[in-house]
Amino acid sequence: MNRHLYKWSKGRIFNSYFFNKWEMWDWLSVDARIRKHLPYTEKAESLEQVKKMVKRFPSVYMKPVKGSEGRRILQLEQHQDGIRITDDRKEKTIVSNLEDYERLLKRLKSTRPYLIQQGVPTKYGSRNIDFRIYMQKNEKKQWKSSGITARISEPDSIITNLRHLDYWVDGREALKQIYKLSEQKASIQEKKIVKYLQKSLFEAG
């Protein structure tokens, strides 16, 4: 349908496509200046690959390439007793060897594609915070921000999806509340984030 509309409108249809997690990484990571601001990401294809990621980063996430409402996500963390694995239901398991965690092995063998991604959690007490910047093209096909929000998870949840969302707040209010910024400094920081994203997306295409 989108292709038909795009052809019928002679390319005037835009904001009609949702990137999956891998496509977004693959698109933006080509530029080294943008890549340094992104969590390092690979397609999850082997157990050895996952082991290398766990050794490389204190925390990594394994998640479906396509959105799944926060389901089937695993967090793997280095732990003094081995590797601690937390699932989307807050269940924690500590294993000495990843071979001992059956659900991880099943995901690697699944026909559903998964990715393994560097964890860059922002914490507020025992809660994870997920800042979301919404960007769309306007009628001139210029990237503009329609807002920034912060989603605060339930205590000890690894996801900020609606299933485990405690509450969300306006992005500027979150900057003031979490990082103790003044109204002026929070506003300046918000504008810097949007300006950088606009520049990055313009250069990416």
Side-chain angles (χ1 to χ4, degrees):
M1 179 60 75
N2 282 344
R3 289 180 181 177
H4 174 74
L5 289 173
Y6 187 85
K7 184 178 180 181
W8 177 80
S9 65
K10 297 181 180 179
R12 292 194 294 271
I13 295 291
F14 55 95
N15 293 327
S16 59
Y17 183 77
F18 289 92
F19 291 91
N20 65 43
K21 299 178 185 71
W22 177 254
E23 289 172 332
M24 183 60 70
W25 160 263
D26 197 41
W27 179 42
L28 294 176
S29 63
V30 174
D31 190 317
R33 292 169 298 176
I34 301 174
R35 186 169 61 247
K36 67 181 181 179
H37 296 283
L38 302 174
Y40 181 73
T41 305
E42 294 181 0
K43 284 186 176 179
E45 297 176 337
S46 72
L47 187 60
E48 289 304 313
Q49 174 196 26
V50 176
K51 288 180 179 180
K52 288 180 181 178
M53 287 284 284
V54 172
K55 286 182 180 180
R56 182 176 177 183
F57 302 109
S59 170
V60 298
Y61 283 82
M62 187 173 184
K63 58 182 73 172
V65 168
K66 292 187 177 180
S68 59
E69 298 181 349
R71 293 181 174 85
R72 293 181 288 276
I73 291 179
L74 298 174
Q75 182 191 44
L76 298 87
E77 298 174 291
Q78 298 174 15
H79 190 272
Q80 60 184 7
D81 297 322
I83 301 169
R84 180 171 62 194
I85 304 175
T86 308
D87 66 17
D88 57 294
R89 294 170 293 183
K90 305 183 188 179
E91 294 182 2
K92 299 181 186 295
T93 305
I94 296 177
V95 298
S96 299
N97 301 296
L98 288 178
E99 288 90 344
D100 298 330
Y101 194 74
E102 187 176 348
R103 277 192 283 171
L104 174 61
L105 302 180
K106 285 184 177 179
R107 281 164 169 74
L108 288 171
K109 295 176 182 178
S110 171
T111 55
R112 175 192 293 269
Y114 282 81
L115 54 79
I116 188 84
Q117 187 174 69
Q118 174 190 3
V120 285
T122 302
K123 289 284 189 179
Y124 185 47
S126 63
R127 304 168 190 270
N128 277 310
I129 302 170
D130 181 3
F131 282 89
R132 299 263 173 145
I133 299 93
Y134 299 94
M135 304 291 293
Q136 293 93 19
K137 287 184 177 180
N138 63 14
E139 67 278 2
K140 297 180 180 179
K141 296 187 179 182
Q142 299 169 331
W143 287 103
K144 298 293 181 181
S145 171
S146 56
I148 301 177
T149 62
R151 306 199 305 187
I152 292 86
S153 75
E154 295 175 348
D156 300 316
S157 174
I158 64 170
I159 61 174
T160 56
N161 188 269
L162 292 177
R163 288 194 302 125
H164 286 186
L165 178 69
D166 195 0
Y167 63 98
W168 64 58
V169 294
D170 174 77
R172 189 182 302 181
E173 288 302 313
L175 291 172
K176 291 161 57 179
Q177 179 180 335
I178 297 164
Y179 298 106
K180 310 303 180 186
L181 300 183
S182 66
E183 174 70 28
Q184 182 181 17
K185 288 184 177 180
S187 176
I188 291 171
Q189 187 61 38
E190 185 179 40
K191 290 176 182 177
K192 282 183 179 179
I193 293 170
V194 172
K195 185 176 181 180
Y196 181 83
L197 277 173
Q198 286 174 325
K199 184 174 184 294
S200 298
L201 290 169
F202 173 78
E203 291 175 351

